[in-house]
Amino acid sequence: MKLLTSARLKTGFVIFYDAIIAVVSLWLAVLLRYDFTLPEGTLQLFKNYGFVYAVICSIFYIRLNLHKNIWHYTTARDLMRFCYATVFAITLCGFIL
């Protein structure tokens, strides 16, 4: 029995990719919020909590089965699940961090 099949590797890559995209989008949102001039300590906070945000986003994406859909055939229902996952992850990070 193979532990790492091609499908599991692809799923792992998609989850990793989604986590990276979530962190990059959060970083761009912070940069836009402060007009690309970050206040003192913001970079250090992002370094400390960026990984936590990626893990929380990944958990919600897995829980809502967002990694199983093919984006070419995405429906409005899938888009709403993606929005729910993002809102839940940001809300949970707000309470934790």
Side-chain angles (χ1 to χ4, degrees):
M1 189 157 93
K2 292 184 180 180
L3 293 177
L4 290 176
T5 62
S6 177
R8 285 186 186 212
L9 286 174
K10 287 179 185 177
T11 300
F13 176 74
V14 169
I15 292 168
F16 177 75
Y17 178 76
D18 286 343
I20 296 298
I21 294 298
V23 171
V24 168
S25 65
L26 179 64
W27 177 248
L28 289 174
V30 169
L31 286 175
L32 286 173
R33 163 65 178 91
Y34 293 111
D35 293 327
F36 295 93
T37 306
L38 295 176
E40 193 74 29
T42 304
L43 182 60
Q44 186 61 36
L45 281 173
F46 192 81
K47 286 179 182 178
N48 291 340
Y49 299 115
F51 178 74
V52 174
Y53 179 70
V55 170
I56 290 173
C57 283
S58 296
I59 290 170
F60 279 109
Y61 293 164
I62 291 168
R63 183 73 178 120
L64 294 174
N65 293 324
L66 293 175
H67 63 283
K68 292 184 179 180
N69 296 329
I70 300 172
W71 285 101
H72 182 69
Y73 299 106
T74 301
T75 63
R77 183 176 178 215
D78 296 328
L79 181 61
M80 288 305 298
R81 288 192 318 194
F82 184 76
C83 290
Y84 290 147
T86 303
V87 168
F88 291 147
I90 290 172
T91 303
L92 184 61
C93 280
F95 286 121
I96 291 175
L97 308 177

